[in-house]
């Protein structure tokens, strides 16, 4: 096994080393106007020297970062237009932060543009709260003398409590910020930040800023929110929609979540977004058919006693007859990893087996189930591995107390667990990828890489099932296996990414961006 | 509460004067009112019919739009046929949703808008997907809920 692995790893790493020198590897055509202004790009673009070919450049921003970039842009454009910042901010938001187009259109037709956003009248003079004689508020019908009132330049005047109530409702309940209009009927005037400052309470101002930041990110192609629940970070990445057939842009948020910048789903390397969409759709459509696989119990292929899977490892040993087999293909375990046996590869039946339509459709279902089974299994195993880790973690802390091992000394378990999760996530998607792969001379290397990673993962996963008192002794071995898993993953991902970029994969479906 | 004072004023005004084709059926509290509307011109779709509207006001009215639906009653047995009116009486009109509502609108202006929406209509049809919507919808008209399928590992 070793010599075999070395051969592939050597070959693949050469492949991606060559590509590594060629910068981002993405087409460098940022020529059209829409994309010239990409927020806070220029100063940030540092090319990481050690970047692998499946990695993309990205940067994680906190809400404060985004706020200050926003302010900076507003100031910049404000000087050019000769308009105060609060007006400039409204205009920029109106133009979805495309500052070149804003400046151009503003220079061409200033009046028209100001009118479009309800800023057409005299825009100097700060907004004020006033009391008016004989005033009755059209919202609450209050007409007490001395009632405080407010109106923007459009003259739609309401009492201050109503105005406040209106704004707080828009911000709090309706999540609006950038485009809140005057409460007057059919009035297009947008409530500017100065008026807002005057009228809303401090806690609402924070929410308002948050919402403004939200629309800022939503409006920009190079920015996306991390989709993890409760995460407040945004990620900046230059990969465009049209690049997604050539690259799978996985980014890593500071919160620990890895997701695809292209479609915001959880990391799905090596499969491109378009394949992922197709695959998920297929799994949804075929879920009935595939359901029978899901169960966590199977029969031992030798003695037929029921076996329950309670860890992520696919190397099963029957408690009763000690038969060792592979959970995924139910084949004999000892035959795994030898040259003629392969659990990961689907063997196409010869043409004569599938002459009539029914046989053909059965064959295509079998093929699908082969890949689906493995896809679902890795997903499930990743969960089980995690459960085991959580249990082990508890036991390790007990062990720390009783045997005096230090916290640092048990960290190898955490690392191993993380590697397992990540490798299984990758493996899972290699099966969706393989399902759509048409055979050519690249596929064999891919399947070998897949098999090698799979074996590495199973070997590591197996160690988690060892009793806790043995774990301390296995530390060095476990660290080695962890390193090896990570290495196999890098090799597989580099190889698939290189070929994807070079257009060397052939798919059995049409891929559209 | 501001809703009460505002509705009191509206009620006084409605009791004094009502636009043609609009009548006040019931307004004995400040939560739910019933109004009837008639289409005045000779539109064959609505000729001779009266339709009942139920207004429901929250305490944030008129900052928040009222919930307005067509309902049936012994004297008003029909829900008007219109591509923006579902057969369960739910109305899809921009004036009544968050974006379109302005606090200076009132019961009278809503009635008039709906009246003219019917007047101008020539299509004898329901919104697309009416049957499914009516069968499955248990939500209140303005509660559109979003969800996203997150794929945690
Ligand atoms: Zn008022
Ligand atoms: Zn106004
Ligand atoms: Zn995050
Ligand atoms: Zn994606
Ligand atoms: Zn057995
Ligand atoms: Zn197997």
């Amino acid at each position: 096994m070793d010599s075999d692995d070395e051969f592939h790893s050597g070959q693949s790493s050469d492949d991606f080393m060559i590509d590594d020198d060629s910068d981002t590897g993405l087409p460098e055509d940022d020529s059209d106007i829409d994309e010239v202004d990409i927020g806070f790009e220029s100063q940030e673009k540092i090319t990481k020297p050690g970047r692998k070919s499946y990695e993309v450049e990205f940067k994680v921003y906190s809400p404060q970062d985004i706020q200050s970039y926003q302010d900076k842009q507003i100031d910049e454009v404000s000087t050019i237009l000769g308009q105060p910042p609060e007006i400039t901010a409204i205009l920029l938001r109106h133009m979805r932060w495309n500052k070149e187009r804003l400046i151009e259109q503003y220079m061409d037709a200033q009046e028209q543009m100001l009118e479009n956003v309800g800023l057409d009248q005299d825009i100097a003079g700060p907004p004020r709260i006033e009391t008016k004689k004989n005033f009755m508020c059209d919202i609450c019908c209050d007409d007490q003398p001395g009632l405080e009132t407010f109106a923007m330049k459009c003259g739609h005047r309401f009492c201050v409590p109503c105005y406040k109530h209106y704004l707080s409702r828009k911000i709090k309940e309706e999540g609006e910020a950038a485009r809140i209009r005057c409460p007057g009927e059919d009035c297009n005037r947008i409530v500017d930040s100065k008026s807002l400052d005057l009228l809303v309470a401090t806690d609402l101002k924070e929410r308002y800023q948050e919402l403004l930041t939200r629309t800022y990110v939503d409006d920009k192609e190079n920015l996306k929110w991390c989709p993890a629940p409760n995460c407040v970070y945004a990620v900046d990445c230059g990969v465009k929609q049209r690049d997604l057939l050539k690259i799978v842009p996985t980014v890593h948020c500071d919160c620990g979540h890895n997701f695809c910048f292209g479609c915001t789903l959880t990391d799905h390397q090596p499969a491109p977004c378009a394949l992922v969409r197709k695959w998920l759709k297929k799994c949804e459509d075929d879920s009935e058919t595939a359901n029978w696989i899901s169960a966590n119990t199977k029969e031992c292929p030798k003695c037929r006693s029921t076996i329950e899977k309670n860890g992520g490892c696919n190397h099963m040993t029957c408690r009763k007859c000690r038969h060792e087999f592979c959970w995924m293909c139910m084949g004999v375990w000892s035959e795994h990893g030898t040259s003629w046996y392969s659990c990961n590869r689907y063997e196409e039946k010869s043409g004569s087996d599938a002459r009539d339509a029914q046989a053909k459709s059965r064959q295509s279902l079998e093929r699908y189930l082969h890949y689906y089974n493995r896809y679902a299994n890795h997903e499930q195993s990743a969960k089980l591995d995690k459960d085991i880790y959580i249990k082990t973690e508890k036991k390790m802390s007990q062990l720390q107390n009783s045997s005096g091992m230090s916290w640092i000394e048990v960290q190898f378990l955490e690392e191993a667990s993380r590697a397992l999760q990540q490798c299984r996530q990758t493996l899972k998607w290699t099966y969706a990828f393989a399902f759509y792969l048409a055979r050519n001379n690249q596929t064999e290397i891919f399947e070998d890489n897949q098999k090698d990673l799979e074996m590495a993962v199973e070997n590591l996963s197996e160690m988690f099932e060892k009793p806790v008192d043995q774990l301390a002794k296995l530390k060095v071995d476990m660290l080695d296996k962890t390193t090896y898993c990570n290495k196999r993953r890098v090799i597989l991902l580099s190889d698939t990414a290189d070929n994807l970029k070079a257009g060397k994969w052939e798919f059995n479906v049409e891929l559209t961006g | 509460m501001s809703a009460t004072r505002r509705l009191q004023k509206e009620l006084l005004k409605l009791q004094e004067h009502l636009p043609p084709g609009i009548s006040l059926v019931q307004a004995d509290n400040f939560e739910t009112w019933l109004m009837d509307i008639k289409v005045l011109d000779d539109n064959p779709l609505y000729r001779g019919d009266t339709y009942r509207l139920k207004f429901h006001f929250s305490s944030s009215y008129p900052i928040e739009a009222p919930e307005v639906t067509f309902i049936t009653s012994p004297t008003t047995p029909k829900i008007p046929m219109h591509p923006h009116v579902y057969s369960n009486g739910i109305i899809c009109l921009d004036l009544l949703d968050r974006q379109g509502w302005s606090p200076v609108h009132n019961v009278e202006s809503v009635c008039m808008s709906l009246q003219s929406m019917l007047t101008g209509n020539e299509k004898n049809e329901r919104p697309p997907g009416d049957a499914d919507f009516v069968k499955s919808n248990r939500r209140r008209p303005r509660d559109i809920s979003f969800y996203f399928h997150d794929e945690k590992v």
Side-chain angles (χ1 to χ4, degrees):
Chain A
M1 188 164 94
D2 267 341
S3 58
D4 197 39
D5 290 325
E6 280 319 306
F7 169 71
H8 286 307
S9 73
Q11 189 188 47
S12 305
S13 50
D14 278 344
D15 283 354
F16 76 76
M17 288 303 285
I18 292 163
D19 204 74
D20 228 21
D21 298 331
S22 67
D23 185 43
T24 63
L26 288 175
E28 300 251 45
D29 55 343
D30 280 340
S31 51
D32 64 71
I33 306 164
D34 283 65
E35 285 151 6
V36 171
D37 170 37
I38 46 169
F40 16 103
E41 74 290 21
S42 43
Q43 67 272 46
E44 306 296 345
K45 246 183 193 154
I46 2 136
T47 320
K48 258 190 279 159
R51 198 163 50 81
K52 314 256 185 331
S53 62
Y54 59 87
E55 292 175 327
V56 292
E57 283 300 322
F58 64 90
K59 216 164 179 326
V60 181
Y61 291 111
S62 69
Q64 292 76 24
D65 294 336
I66 297 165
Q67 179 64 51
S68 59
Y69 280 114
Q70 223 182 132
D71 292 346
K72 216 170 91 193
Q73 282 204 14
I74 292 170
D75 280 350
E76 220 178 281
V77 178
S78 167
T79 323
I80 300 171
L81 300 187
Q83 289 282 10
E86 61 274 12
I87 303 290
T88 310
I90 291 177
L91 293 173
L92 272 166
R93 284 180 193 117
H94 177 68
M95 297 304 286
R96 309 215 170 256
W97 294 92
N98 189 325
K99 95 184 149 197
E100 275 74 18
R101 207 194 288 158
L102 166 61
I103 293 165
E104 197 184 297
Q105 283 190 22
Y106 185 87
M107 296 309 174
D108 278 3
Q110 175 175 350
E111 245 98 90
Q112 184 60 46
M113 176 163 244
L114 289 171
E115 196 186 316
N116 287 345
V117 289
L119 293 172
D120 48 322
Q121 294 162 40
D122 171 23
I123 42 184
R128 287 206 310 276
I129 287 174
E130 295 168 82
T131 53
K132 295 268 171 192
K133 265 195 185 126
N134 300 324
F135 173 80
M136 190 197 74
C137 171
D138 278 340
I139 295 177
C140 64
C141 301
D142 198 342
D143 56 2
Q144 287 177 55
L147 188 64
E148 288 194 316
T149 72
F150 180 80
M152 289 185 293
K153 288 288 186 268
C154 58
H156 295 113
R157 186 168 294 277
F158 304 99
C159 79
V160 168
C162 280
Y163 228 116
K164 283 185 171 167
H165 187 178
Y166 172 78
L167 292 175
S168 85
R169 198 179 158 77
K170 286 280 172 201
I171 296 166
K172 248 204 307 236
E173 258 109 303
E174 301 179 18
E176 270 192 58
R179 294 156 191 120
I180 301 177
R181 290 178 306 147
C182 159
E185 189 176 356
D186 293 331
C187 181
N188 283 326
R189 177 164 291 256
I190 291 164
V191 182
D192 59 280
S193 60
K194 279 224 172 123
S195 303
L196 243 128
D197 273 352
L198 198 62
L199 293 165
V200 305
T202 324
D203 60 324
L204 269 185
K205 277 179 197 159
E206 275 165 33
R207 175 80 182 126
Y208 175 74
Q209 281 307 330
E210 215 177 286
L211 288 165
L212 283 185
T213 308
R214 218 146 247 286
T215 48
Y216 177 71
V217 171
D218 292 344
D219 281 350
K220 290 194 145 277
E221 204 199 353
N222 62 308
L223 288 179
K224 269 182 190 144
W225 293 106
C226 168
N230 302 320
C231 179
V232 296
Y233 293 110
V235 174
D236 179 2
C237 175
V239 172
K240 304 277 193 305
Q241 257 343 89
R242 60 166 183 269
D243 301 326
L244 294 177
L245 294 178
K246 295 264 166 215
I247 197 160
V248 187
T250 297
V251 295
H252 314 283
C253 180
D254 286 358
C255 75
H257 184 58
N258 300 332
F259 68 98
C260 169
F261 189 80
C263 66
T264 69
L265 289 176
T266 302
D267 171 31
H268 54 70
Q269 279 176 341
C273 299
L275 277 191
V276 169
R277 264 198 307 278
K278 274 192 200 300
W279 175 256
L280 292 176
K281 174 89 171 51
K282 177 155 183 68
C283 293
E284 205 179 296
D285 293 349
D286 296 359
S287 61
E288 302 268 304
T289 337
N291 260 344
W292 59 270
I293 312 166
S294 64
N296 256 341
T297 53
K298 280 183 186 172
E299 283 181 350
C300 165
K302 206 167 163 195
C303 75
R304 300 283 149 210
S305 62
T306 304
I307 295 195
E308 197 186 342
K309 189 162 153 60
N310 49 18
C313 175
N314 287 311
H315 178 179
M316 307 304 291
T317 306
C318 173
R319 281 218 181 109
K320 220 168 151 192
C321 73
R322 311 304 300 167
H323 176 58
E324 293 180 52
F325 64 98
C326 164
W327 177 265
M328 219 128 65
C329 67
M330 304 301 277
V332 183
W333 187 259
S334 57
E335 287 166 357
H336 270 69
T338 62
S339 54
W340 60 273
Y341 191 90
S342 55
C343 170
N344 61 329
R345 177 176 304 154
Y346 177 74
E347 299 294 344
E348 301 278 351
K349 300 254 168 37
S350 62
S352 59
D353 286 354
R355 221 167 274 149
D356 57 281
Q358 205 192 344
K360 270 198 188 116
S361 104
R362 202 178 52 231
Q363 194 175 319
S364 97
L365 178 64
E366 257 175 36
R367 184 176 178 276
Y368 166 64
L369 288 178
H370 170 91
Y371 291 110
Y372 178 77
N373 203 351
R374 282 152 183 78
Y375 166 87
N377 188 62
H378 280 298
E379 187 167 59
Q380 183 64 16
S381 294
K383 282 184 198 133
L384 294 171
D385 282 335
K386 200 170 191 178
D387 289 352
I388 287 237
Y389 169 71
I390 290 165
K391 275 187 218 146
T392 315
E393 198 185 31
K394 258 189 218 139
K395 288 186 191 162
M396 285 312 280
S397 73
Q398 290 166 3
L399 201 69
Q400 269 181 71
N401 293 333
S402 62
S403 77
M405 268 183 98
S406 74
W407 178 80
I408 294 284
E409 281 173 295
V410 302
Q411 287 312 295
F412 70 97
L413 271 177
E414 161 113 51
E415 268 171 56
S417 168
R418 207 180 308 124
L420 272 184
Q421 305 288 314
Q422 209 172 26
C423 290
R424 290 217 189 265
Q425 179 74 8
T426 302
L427 275 172
K428 172 179 133 177
W429 285 107
T430 61
Y431 283 108
F433 186 72
F435 176 73
Y436 292 111
L437 217 48
R439 287 216 155 261
N440 64 18
N441 31 8
Q442 316 295 328
T443 38
E444 203 142 317
I445 298 172
F446 172 75
E447 281 171 343
D448 285 344
N449 283 334
Q450 188 185 36
K451 187 180 77 188
D452 290 342
L453 177 59
E454 194 145 56
M455 289 308 291
V457 163
E458 297 306 341
N459 285 337
L460 179 59
S461 178
E462 210 166 340
M463 305 199 81
F464 269 91
E465 294 179 2
K466 295 276 194 296
V468 175
D469 51 3
Q470 288 179 29
L471 282 176
K473 272 185 291 178
L474 293 170
K475 179 174 169 176
V476 176
D477 197 12
M478 209 151 174
L479 279 170
D480 284 349
K481 288 196 159 82
T482 303
T483 312
Y484 184 66
C485 273
N486 288 333
K487 187 179 130 201
R488 294 305 328 171
R489 180 171 171 271
V490 169
I491 290 165
L492 184 143
L493 288 180
S494 303
D495 179 65
T496 41
D498 289 341
N499 285 326
L500 191 67
K501 220 172 276 173
K504 283 189 192 156
W505 296 119
E506 288 165 37
F507 297 105
N508 51 28
V509 282
E510 176 97 44
L511 286 198
T512 43
Chain B
M1 210 49 236
S2 72
T4 309
R5 189 167 50 213
R6 159 78 180 247
L7 284 167
Q8 258 164 348
K9 285 254 176 178
E10 281 195 49
L11 188 57
L12 277 177
K13 224 183 124 208
L14 288 173
Q15 281 163 344
E16 231 166 68
H17 169 81
L18 277 162
I22 293 169
S23 51
L24 179 68
V25 179
Q26 193 189 83
D28 41 23
N29 59 44
F30 296 116
E31 270 170 32
T32 307
W33 289 7
L34 300 177
M35 304 289 294
D36 277 356
I37 62 171
K38 271 195 184 109
V39 175
L40 293 176
D41 75 346
D42 217 22
N43 190 332
L45 286 173
Y46 311 109
R47 194 183 295 145
D49 289 336
T50 303
Y51 303 106
R52 181 147 303 167
L53 286 167
K54 187 171 98 180
F55 281 73
H56 182 85
F57 311 101
S58 76
S59 60
S60 289
Y61 177 80
I63 302 290
E64 191 185 344
E67 202 170 285
V68 186
T69 50
F70 282 106
I71 59 166
T72 56
S73 74
T75 50
T76 57
K78 289 188 197 167
I79 302 288
M81 203 62 159
H82 190 281
H84 289 164
V85 180
Y86 288 93
S87 48
N88 57 5
I90 287 180
I91 306 161
C92 157
L93 179 69
D94 63 343
L95 176 73
L96 295 173
D97 76 24
R98 286 170 176 177
Q99 303 303 315
W101 175 257
S102 151
V104 294
H105 286 302
N106 53 42
V107 173
E108 185 185 303
S109 70
V110 169
C111 286
M112 287 170 69
S113 299
L114 287 168
Q115 194 184 34
S116 83
M117 179 182 99
L118 296 181
T119 307
N121 178 46
E122 289 170 357
K123 291 188 183 145
N124 189 16
E125 56 190 48
R126 293 286 176 209
D130 179 57
D132 284 346
F133 176 78
V134 171
K135 203 165 30 168
S136 64
N137 184 60
R138 295 283 171 277
R139 289 172 300 168
R140 294 166 59 129
R142 64 165 162 270
D143 294 340
I144 312 150
S145 57
F146 296 97
Y147 74 95
F148 79 97
H149 186 86
D150 86 328
E151 201 217 21
K152 274 178 286 176
V153 191

